[in-house]
Amino acid sequence: MPKKLIIGVLASGQGSNLQAIIDNVRQGKLNAKIGCVISDNPAAVALERAKEANIPAYYIYPGEYKTKLSPEQEIAYVKCLKEYKIELICLAGFMRILHSHFLQTFKGRVINIHPALLPSFPGLHAQEQAFNYGVKVSGATVHFVDEEVDTGPIIIQKTVKVKENDTPELLAKRILKVEHQIYFQAIQLFAEGRIKIEGRKAKIVVRNKE
Ligand code: GAR
């Protein structure tokens, strides 16, 4: 068995994506260990889920801004992740933009899940944006994080059909189910060293079965 990839998860809310990662690790479908979970929200359910799974879980004050970490608090996040020797950072409903100190420290090692088919509908409330636009197909995207919002190389996407009698809430629920299916797959690809970034593309190395 190859060495387990040590991942850190950053989450702001419910943490259902974190839970899916925990479950897939337990079921042996993901060769990873969750080193720690960090939240910018002391009331995040994600922190409870982590504690229940015996994973070190921390609320770290994000600073005075609403949409990003303050520069000094970004340093505190990086310090914690380094203490746990985190090799890949997975943003799972983490509602803040990361800046250069964080991204330079973990270059090519930060990924995110987004509830739409990027590059359409980046940013907040992506499911509702897609629904209001009137698309017939939406979905979820796992991608690398770069300095812009939701623009990094795409690792996996999966589609979800918009139904005629849909609501933004129903669509979001079906997208969330798909998120749970694809996030661990992207992490597993990273763990297997099968993602090569070439320009703006994340190429997946195909291995022939012997
Ligand atoms: C998920 O739908 C995730 O894609 C989205 O927040 C939700 C978190 O759910 N993330 C973003 O919109 C990031 N811009 P969870 O806390 O149950 O995993």
Side-chain angles (χ1 to χ4, degrees):
M1 191 70 165
K3 184 189 158 295
K4 284 186 175 146
L5 177 76
I6 305 175
I7 64 174
V9 179
L10 267 54
S12 301
Q14 284 300 313
S16 72
N17 275 291
L18 166 67
Q19 190 65 54
I21 296 168
I22 293 171
D23 295 345
N24 280 292
V25 168
R26 277 195 186 134
Q27 291 162 21
K29 294 183 197 161
L30 177 53
N31 189 33
K33 176 188 167 174
I34 306 176
C36 67
V37 170
I38 308 178
S39 184
D40 58 335
N41 168 16
V45 179
L47 290 174
E48 296 309 315
R49 294 183 192 266
K51 282 176 199 156
E52 257 168 46
N54 288 319
I55 298 164
Y58 303 97
Y59 158 68
I60 301 183
Y61 174 62
E64 65 274 32
Y65 305 102
K66 278 218 164 103
T67 57
K68 62 178 186 178
L69 298 174
S70 69
E72 55 282 13
Q73 290 314 104
E74 212 171 69
I75 291 169
Y77 275 66
V78 165
K79 186 168 173 268
C80 181
L81 292 162
K82 278 188 169 172
E83 270 164 22
Y84 284 94
K85 300 191 171 19
I86 300 300
E87 298 168 298
L88 177 72
I89 292 124
C90 304
L91 309 184
F94 187 68
M95 296 305 186
R96 284 172 197 270
I97 297 161
L98 299 169
H99 287 287
S100 53
H101 172 66
F102 193 106
L103 295 175
Q104 288 301 322
T105 308
F106 299 109
K107 203 167 169 38
R109 292 187 288 136
V110 185
I111 63 175
N112 178 46
I113 184 131
H114 183 75
L117 294 176
L118 292 171
S120 293
F121 312 117
L124 294 177
H125 312 299
Q127 308 95 325
E128 203 176 343
Q129 287 185 53
F131 180 84
N132 290 341
Y133 193 92
V135 296
K136 301 293 186 191
V137 177
S138 191
T141 304
V142 184
H143 64 96
F144 284 98
V145 176
D146 64 11
E147 303 265 349
E148 308 294 320
V149 177
D150 300 329
T151 52
I154 290 169
I155 305 166
I156 299 187
Q157 291 187 301
K158 191 164 177 182
T159 58
V160 172
K161 278 192 184 153
V162 181
K163 296 180 180 170
E164 285 309 320
N165 57 354
D166 243 336
T167 64
E169 293 75 25
L170 288 172
L171 178 62
K173 261 193 184 171
R174 296 203 307 286
I175 292 175
L176 195 59
K177 274 195 182 161
V178 162
E179 292 181 41
H180 300 162
Q181 294 164 13
I182 64 172
Y183 209 1
F184 85 92
Q185 291 175 356
I187 300 167
Q188 182 61 24
L189 285 172
F190 190 97
E192 291 174 12
R194 288 176 56 196
I195 308 176
K196 281 218 165 103
I197 300 181
E198 288 178 15
R200 69 146 296 109
K201 290 188 185 148
K203 295 216 167 160
I204 308 301
V205 178
V206 179
R207 299 231 170 102
N208 293 328
K209 285 188 186 141
E210 269 130 350

PDB file of all heavy atoms in Angstrom, residues 9 20 25 31 44 55 58-59 62-63 65 76 88 90 92 96 98 101 113 125 129 132 140 152 177 179 200 202:
ATOM      1  N   VAL A   9      -8.406  19.947   5.545  1.00  0.00           N
ATOM      2  CA  VAL A   9      -9.675  20.414   4.972  1.00  0.00           C
ATOM      3  C   VAL A   9     -10.047  21.742   5.628  1.00  0.00           C
ATOM      4  O   VAL A   9     -10.004  21.874   6.856  1.00  0.00           O
ATOM      5  CB  VAL A   9     -10.795  19.364   5.176  1.00  0.00           C
ATOM      6  CG1 VAL A   9     -12.119  19.873   4.608  1.00  0.00           C
ATOM      7  CG2 VAL A   9     -10.420  18.032   4.515  1.00  0.00           C
ATOM      8  N   ALA A  20     -18.178  13.370   3.378  1.00  0.00           N
ATOM      9  CA  ALA A  20     -17.998  12.415   2.269  1.00  0.00           C
ATOM     10  C   ALA A  20     -16.530  11.986   2.169  1.00  0.00           C
ATOM     11  O   ALA A  20     -16.241  10.815   1.904  1.00  0.00           O
ATOM     12  CB  ALA A  20     -18.475  13.048   0.957  1.00  0.00           C
ATOM     13  N   VAL A  25     -12.501   7.767   3.073  1.00  0.00           N
ATOM     14  CA  VAL A  25     -11.248   7.305   3.696  1.00  0.00           C
ATOM     15  C   VAL A  25     -11.541   6.024   4.485  1.00  0.00           C
ATOM     16  O   VAL A  25     -10.854   5.018   4.350  1.00  0.00           O
ATOM     17  CB  VAL A  25     -10.648   8.391   4.622  1.00  0.00           C
ATOM     18  CG1 VAL A  25      -9.519   7.821   5.477  1.00  0.00           C
ATOM     19  CG2 VAL A  25     -10.140   9.570   3.802  1.00  0.00           C
ATOM     20  N   ASN A  31      -6.931   6.859  -0.421  1.00  0.00           N
ATOM     21  CA  ASN A  31      -5.711   6.540   0.316  1.00  0.00           C
ATOM     22  C   ASN A  31      -5.130   7.820   0.926  1.00  0.00           C
ATOM     23  O   ASN A  31      -4.107   8.331   0.486  1.00  0.00           O
ATOM     24  CB  ASN A  31      -4.704   5.869  -0.624  1.00  0.00           C
ATOM     25  CG  ASN A  31      -3.513   5.316   0.125  1.00  0.00           C
ATOM     26  OD1 ASN A  31      -3.659   4.870   1.270  1.00  0.00           O
ATOM     27  ND2 ASN A  31      -2.354   5.367  -0.489  1.00  0.00           N
ATOM     28  N   ALA A  44     -19.297  26.171  12.840  1.00  0.00           N
ATOM     29  CA  ALA A  44     -19.382  25.282  11.670  1.00  0.00           C
ATOM     30  C   ALA A  44     -19.656  23.832  12.097  1.00  0.00           C
ATOM     31  O   ALA A  44     -18.959  23.297  12.961  1.00  0.00           O
ATOM     32  CB  ALA A  44     -18.084  25.347  10.871  1.00  0.00           C
ATOM     33  N   ILE A  55     -10.587  13.727  14.364  1.00  0.00           N
ATOM     34  CA  ILE A  55      -9.645  14.504  13.553  1.00  0.00           C
ATOM     35  C   ILE A  55      -9.414  15.841  14.281  1.00  0.00           C
ATOM     36  O   ILE A  55     -10.386  16.491  14.695  1.00  0.00           O
ATOM     37  CB  ILE A  55     -10.230  14.769  12.144  1.00  0.00           C
ATOM     38  CG1 ILE A  55     -10.468  13.444  11.409  1.00  0.00           C
ATOM     39  CG2 ILE A  55      -9.316  15.682  11.330  1.00  0.00           C
ATOM     40  CD1 ILE A  55     -11.375  13.574  10.203  1.00  0.00           C
ATOM     41  N   TYR A  58      -9.932  22.832  14.334  1.00  0.00           N
ATOM     42  CA  TYR A  58      -9.667  24.146  14.907  1.00  0.00           C
ATOM     43  C   TYR A  58     -10.499  25.224  14.254  1.00  0.00           C
ATOM     44  O   TYR A  58     -10.639  25.261  13.023  1.00  0.00           O
ATOM     45  CB  TYR A  58      -8.199  24.544  14.694  1.00  0.00           C
ATOM     46  CG  TYR A  58      -7.237  23.554  15.275  1.00  0.00           C
ATOM     47  CD1 TYR A  58      -6.660  22.576  14.459  1.00  0.00           C
ATOM     48  CD2 TYR A  58      -6.912  23.590  16.626  1.00  0.00           C
ATOM     49  CE1 TYR A  58      -5.773  21.661  14.988  1.00  0.00           C
ATOM     50  CE2 TYR A  58      -6.023  22.676  17.164  1.00  0.00           C
ATOM     51  CZ  TYR A  58      -5.456  21.712  16.344  1.00  0.00           C
ATOM     52  OH  TYR A  58      -4.597  20.796  16.856  1.00  0.00           O
ATOM     53  N   TYR A  59     -11.019  26.110  15.091  1.00  0.00           N
ATOM     54  CA  TYR A  59     -11.513  27.389  14.586  1.00  0.00           C
ATOM     55  C   TYR A  59     -10.328  28.331  14.656  1.00  0.00           C
ATOM     56  O   TYR A  59      -9.703  28.469  15.720  1.00  0.00           O
ATOM     57  CB  TYR A  59     -12.661  27.902  15.463  1.00  0.00           C
ATOM     58  CG  TYR A  59     -12.856  29.400  15.332  1.00  0.00           C
ATOM     59  CD1 TYR A  59     -13.311  29.953  14.141  1.00  0.00           C
ATOM     60  CD2 TYR A  59     -12.546  30.255  16.386  1.00  0.00           C
ATOM     61  CE1 TYR A  59     -13.458  31.332  14.005  1.00  0.00           C
ATOM     62  CE2 TYR A  59     -12.693  31.635  16.260  1.00  0.00           C
ATOM     63  CZ  TYR A  59     -13.141  32.156  15.061  1.00  0.00           C
ATOM     64  OH  TYR A  59     -13.281  33.507  14.921  1.00  0.00           O
ATOM     65  N   PRO A  62     -10.436  34.455  11.361  1.00  0.00           N
ATOM     66  CA  PRO A  62     -10.036  34.793   9.995  1.00  0.00           C
ATOM     67  C   PRO A  62      -9.563  36.241   9.803  1.00  0.00           C
ATOM     68  O   PRO A  62      -9.022  36.578   8.754  1.00  0.00           O
ATOM     69  CB  PRO A  62     -11.331  34.568   9.206  1.00  0.00           C
ATOM     70  CG  PRO A  62     -12.430  34.782  10.200  1.00  0.00           C
ATOM     71  CD  PRO A  62     -11.893  34.380  11.534  1.00  0.00           C
ATOM     72  N   GLY A  63      -9.758  37.070  10.828  1.00  0.00           N
ATOM     73  CA  GLY A  63      -9.408  38.489  10.665  1.00  0.00           C
ATOM     74  C   GLY A  63     -10.666  39.301  10.418  1.00  0.00           C
ATOM     75  O   GLY A  63     -11.784  38.790  10.458  1.00  0.00           O
ATOM     76  N   TYR A  65     -11.875  40.875   7.763  1.00  0.00           N
ATOM     77  CA  TYR A  65     -12.560  40.958   6.466  1.00  0.00           C
ATOM     78  C   TYR A  65     -13.636  39.890   6.348  1.00  0.00           C
ATOM     79  O   TYR A  65     -13.589  38.873   7.023  1.00  0.00           O
ATOM     80  CB  TYR A  65     -11.560  40.793   5.327  1.00  0.00           C
ATOM     81  CG  TYR A  65     -10.416  41.758   5.371  1.00  0.00           C
ATOM     82  CD1 TYR A  65      -9.163  41.360   5.830  1.00  0.00           C
ATOM     83  CD2 TYR A  65     -10.597  43.087   4.978  1.00  0.00           C
ATOM     84  CE1 TYR A  65      -8.104  42.255   5.888  1.00  0.00           C
ATOM     85  CE2 TYR A  65      -9.544  43.990   5.044  1.00  0.00           C
ATOM     86  CZ  TYR A  65      -8.297  43.555   5.509  1.00  0.00           C
ATOM     87  OH  TYR A  65      -7.262  44.450   5.569  1.00  0.00           O
ATOM     88  N   ALA A  76      -1.374  32.385  10.230  1.00  0.00           N
ATOM     89  CA  ALA A  76      -1.789  31.440  11.284  1.00  0.00           C
ATOM     90  C   ALA A  76      -2.353  30.156  10.667  1.00  0.00           C
ATOM     91  O   ALA A  76      -2.083  29.046  11.158  1.00  0.00           O
ATOM     92  CB  ALA A  76      -2.843  32.100  12.179  1.00  0.00           C
ATOM     93  N   LEU A  88      -1.828  18.241   0.869  1.00  0.00           N
ATOM     94  CA  LEU A  88      -2.850  18.775  -0.041  1.00  0.00           C
ATOM     95  C   LEU A  88      -3.928  19.450   0.787  1.00  0.00           C
ATOM     96  O   LEU A  88      -4.407  18.871   1.775  1.00  0.00           O
ATOM     97  CB  LEU A  88      -3.479  17.634  -0.870  1.00  0.00           C
ATOM     98  CG  LEU A  88      -4.613  18.061  -1.811  1.00  0.00           C
ATOM     99  CD1 LEU A  88      -4.066  18.867  -3.006  1.00  0.00           C
ATOM    100  CD2 LEU A  88      -5.401  16.856  -2.321  1.00  0.00           C
ATOM    101  N   CYS A  90      -7.709  20.871   0.906  1.00  0.00           N
ATOM    102  CA  CYS A  90      -8.990  20.726   0.211  1.00  0.00           C
ATOM    103  C   CYS A  90      -9.966  21.750   0.790  1.00  0.00           C
ATOM    104  O   CYS A  90     -10.313  21.677   1.976  1.00  0.00           O
ATOM    105  CB  CYS A  90      -9.550  19.325   0.417  1.00  0.00           C
ATOM    106  SG  CYS A  90      -8.403  18.032  -0.098  1.00  0.00           S
ATOM    107  N   ALA A  92     -13.526  22.877   1.261  1.00  0.00           N
ATOM    108  CA  ALA A  92     -14.817  22.184   1.182  1.00  0.00           C
ATOM    109  C   ALA A  92     -15.882  23.117   1.747  1.00  0.00           C
ATOM    110  O   ALA A  92     -16.192  23.078   2.938  1.00  0.00           O
ATOM    111  CB  ALA A  92     -14.748  20.875   1.961  1.00  0.00           C
ATOM    112  N   ARG A  96     -13.898  31.829   1.788  1.00  0.00           N
ATOM    113  CA  ARG A  96     -12.979  32.971   1.754  1.00  0.00           C
ATOM    114  C   ARG A  96     -11.934  32.776   0.663  1.00  0.00           C
ATOM    115  O   ARG A  96     -11.524  31.648   0.396  1.00  0.00           O
ATOM    116  CB  ARG A  96     -12.265  33.142   3.100  1.00  0.00           C
ATOM    117  CG  ARG A  96     -13.164  33.749   4.136  1.00  0.00           C
ATOM    118  CD  ARG A  96     -12.520  33.718   5.484  1.00  0.00           C
ATOM    119  NE  ARG A  96     -13.537  33.933   6.487  1.00  0.00           N
ATOM    120  CZ  ARG A  96     -13.892  35.135   6.950  1.00  0.00           C
ATOM    121  NH1 ARG A  96     -13.263  36.212   6.538  1.00  0.00           N
ATOM    122  NH2 ARG A  96     -14.844  35.248   7.845  1.00  0.00           N
ATOM    123  N   LEU A  98      -8.271  32.973  -0.877  1.00  0.00           N
ATOM    124  CA  LEU A  98      -6.904  32.854  -0.352  1.00  0.00           C
ATOM    125  C   LEU A  98      -5.964  33.698  -1.187  1.00  0.00           C
ATOM    126  O   LEU A  98      -6.148  33.818  -2.402  1.00  0.00           O
ATOM    127  CB  LEU A  98      -6.470  31.384  -0.375  1.00  0.00           C
ATOM    128  CG  LEU A  98      -7.335  30.470   0.474  1.00  0.00           C
ATOM    129  CD1 LEU A  98      -7.009  29.012   0.186  1.00  0.00           C
ATOM    130  CD2 LEU A  98      -7.168  30.774   1.959  1.00  0.00           C
ATOM    131  N   HIS A 101       0.376  34.606  -0.024  1.00  0.00           N
ATOM    132  CA  HIS A 101       1.213  33.926   0.976  1.00  0.00           C
ATOM    133  C   HIS A 101       0.801  32.454   1.078  1.00  0.00           C
ATOM    134  O   HIS A 101       1.611  31.548   0.990  1.00  0.00           O
ATOM    135  CB  HIS A 101       1.106  34.603   2.348  1.00  0.00           C
ATOM    136  CG  HIS A 101       1.782  33.823   3.434  1.00  0.00           C
ATOM    137  ND1 HIS A 101       3.149  33.636   3.455  1.00  0.00           N
ATOM    138  CD2 HIS A 101       1.292  33.123   4.496  1.00  0.00           C
ATOM    139  CE1 HIS A 101       3.462  32.875   4.496  1.00  0.00           C
ATOM    140  NE2 HIS A 101       2.352  32.544   5.135  1.00  0.00           N
ATOM    141  N   ILE A 113     -13.882  22.645  -4.343  1.00  0.00           N
ATOM    142  CA  ILE A 113     -15.064  22.133  -5.051  1.00  0.00           C
ATOM    143  C   ILE A 113     -16.050  23.274  -5.225  1.00  0.00           C
ATOM    144  O   ILE A 113     -16.278  24.062  -4.301  1.00  0.00           O
ATOM    145  CB  ILE A 113     -15.707  20.927  -4.318  1.00  0.00           C
ATOM    146  CG1 ILE A 113     -16.873  20.380  -5.147  1.00  0.00           C
ATOM    147  CG2 ILE A 113     -16.169  21.249  -2.908  1.00  0.00           C
ATOM    148  CD1 ILE A 113     -16.858  18.910  -5.337  1.00  0.00           C
ATOM    149  N   HIS A 125     -23.267  31.520  -4.480  1.00  0.00           N
ATOM    150  CA  HIS A 125     -24.615  31.120  -4.921  1.00  0.00           C
ATOM    151  C   HIS A 125     -24.633  30.639  -6.366  1.00  0.00           C
ATOM    152  O   HIS A 125     -25.494  31.018  -7.168  1.00  0.00           O
ATOM    153  CB  HIS A 125     -25.602  32.284  -4.735  1.00  0.00           C
ATOM    154  CG  HIS A 125     -25.508  32.928  -3.388  1.00  0.00           C
ATOM    155  ND1 HIS A 125     -25.746  32.238  -2.224  1.00  0.00           N
ATOM    156  CD2 HIS A 125     -25.155  34.181  -3.018  1.00  0.00           C
ATOM    157  CE1 HIS A 125     -25.552  33.035  -1.190  1.00  0.00           C
ATOM    158  NE2 HIS A 125     -25.192  34.223  -1.643  1.00  0.00           N
ATOM    159  N   GLN A 129     -27.375  31.062  -9.372  1.00  0.00           N
ATOM    160  CA  GLN A 129     -26.972  31.799 -10.581  1.00  0.00           C
ATOM    161  C   GLN A 129     -27.314  30.977 -11.824  1.00  0.00           C
ATOM    162  O   GLN A 129     -27.883  31.488 -12.787  1.00  0.00           O
ATOM    163  CB  GLN A 129     -25.464  32.005 -10.621  1.00  0.00           C
ATOM    164  CG  GLN A 129     -24.867  33.007  -9.675  1.00  0.00           C
ATOM    165  CD  GLN A 129     -23.362  33.132  -9.994  1.00  0.00           C
ATOM    166  OE1 GLN A 129     -22.969  33.365 -11.131  1.00  0.00           O
ATOM    167  NE2 GLN A 129     -22.520  32.971  -8.999  1.00  0.00           N
ATOM    168  N   ASN A 132     -31.178  30.657 -12.285  1.00  0.00           N
ATOM    169  CA  ASN A 132     -31.791  31.905 -12.755  1.00  0.00           C
ATOM    170  C   ASN A 132     -31.426  32.219 -14.204  1.00  0.00           C
ATOM    171  O   ASN A 132     -32.193  32.849 -14.922  1.00  0.00           O
ATOM    172  CB  ASN A 132     -31.389  33.075 -11.846  1.00  0.00           C
ATOM    173  CG  ASN A 132     -32.038  32.960 -10.483  1.00  0.00           C
ATOM    174  OD1 ASN A 132     -33.033  32.247 -10.326  1.00  0.00           O
ATOM    175  ND2 ASN A 132     -31.475  33.623  -9.495  1.00  0.00           N
ATOM    176  N   ALA A 140     -20.984  20.122 -10.977  1.00  0.00           N
ATOM    177  CA  ALA A 140     -19.966  20.448  -9.981  1.00  0.00           C
ATOM    178  C   ALA A 140     -18.585  20.325 -10.608  1.00  0.00           C
ATOM    179  O   ALA A 140     -18.387  19.556 -11.554  1.00  0.00           O
ATOM    180  CB  ALA A 140     -20.087  19.500  -8.785  1.00  0.00           C
ATOM    181  N   GLY A 152      -8.828  28.251 -11.519  1.00  0.00           N
ATOM    182  CA  GLY A 152      -7.676  27.348 -11.659  1.00  0.00           C
ATOM    183  C   GLY A 152      -7.982  26.120 -12.506  1.00  0.00           C
ATOM    184  O   GLY A 152      -9.153  25.819 -12.798  1.00  0.00           O
ATOM    185  N   LYS A 177     -24.978  16.098  -4.019  1.00  0.00           N
ATOM    186  CA  LYS A 177     -24.760  14.639  -4.101  1.00  0.00           C
ATOM    187  C   LYS A 177     -23.618  14.320  -5.053  1.00  0.00           C
ATOM    188  O   LYS A 177     -22.785  13.453  -4.775  1.00  0.00           O
ATOM    189  CB  LYS A 177     -26.023  13.939  -4.622  1.00  0.00           C
ATOM    190  CG  LYS A 177     -27.006  13.611  -3.546  1.00  0.00           C
ATOM    191  CD  LYS A 177     -28.033  12.613  -4.071  1.00  0.00           C
ATOM    192  CE  LYS A 177     -29.049  12.331  -2.983  1.00  0.00           C
ATOM    193  NZ  LYS A 177     -30.267  11.758  -3.521  1.00  0.00           N
ATOM    194  N   GLU A 179     -21.208  16.389  -5.868  1.00  0.00           N
ATOM    195  CA  GLU A 179     -19.964  16.879  -5.247  1.00  0.00           C
ATOM    196  C   GLU A 179     -19.348  15.771  -4.394  1.00  0.00           C
ATOM    197  O   GLU A 179     -18.135  15.532  -4.434  1.00  0.00           O
ATOM    198  CB  GLU A 179     -20.244  18.098  -4.360  1.00  0.00           C
ATOM    199  CG  GLU A 179     -20.674  19.333  -5.129  1.00  0.00           C
ATOM    200  CD  GLU A 179     -20.917  20.527  -4.212  1.00  0.00           C
ATOM    201  OE1 GLU A 179     -20.128  20.731  -3.273  1.00  0.00           O
ATOM    202  OE2 GLU A 179     -21.892  21.260  -4.430  1.00  0.00           O
ATOM    203  N   ARG A 200      -2.951  25.909 -18.455  1.00  0.00           N
ATOM    204  CA  ARG A 200      -4.164  26.014 -17.651  1.00  0.00           C
ATOM    205  C   ARG A 200      -4.918  24.673 -17.562  1.00  0.00           C
ATOM    206  O   ARG A 200      -6.022  24.588 -17.023  1.00  0.00           O
ATOM    207  CB  ARG A 200      -5.057  27.161 -18.096  1.00  0.00           C
ATOM    208  CG  ARG A 200      -5.774  27.218 -19.325  1.00  0.00           C
ATOM    209  CD  ARG A 200      -7.111  27.958 -19.073  1.00  0.00           C
ATOM    210  NE  ARG A 200      -7.948  27.208 -18.156  1.00  0.00           N
ATOM    211  CZ  ARG A 200      -8.217  27.556 -16.887  1.00  0.00           C
ATOM    212  NH1 ARG A 200      -7.779  28.659 -16.372  1.00  0.00           N
ATOM    213  NH2 ARG A 200      -8.965  26.783 -16.122  1.00  0.00           N
ATOM    214  N   ALA A 202      -5.257  20.702 -16.252  1.00  0.00           N
ATOM    215  CA  ALA A 202      -4.829  19.646 -15.331  1.00  0.00           C
ATOM    216  C   ALA A 202      -5.046  18.337 -16.080  1.00  0.00           C
ATOM    217  O   ALA A 202      -6.186  17.914 -16.260  1.00  0.00           O
ATOM    218  CB  ALA A 202      -5.659  19.694 -14.061  1.00  0.00           C
TER     219      ALA A 202
END
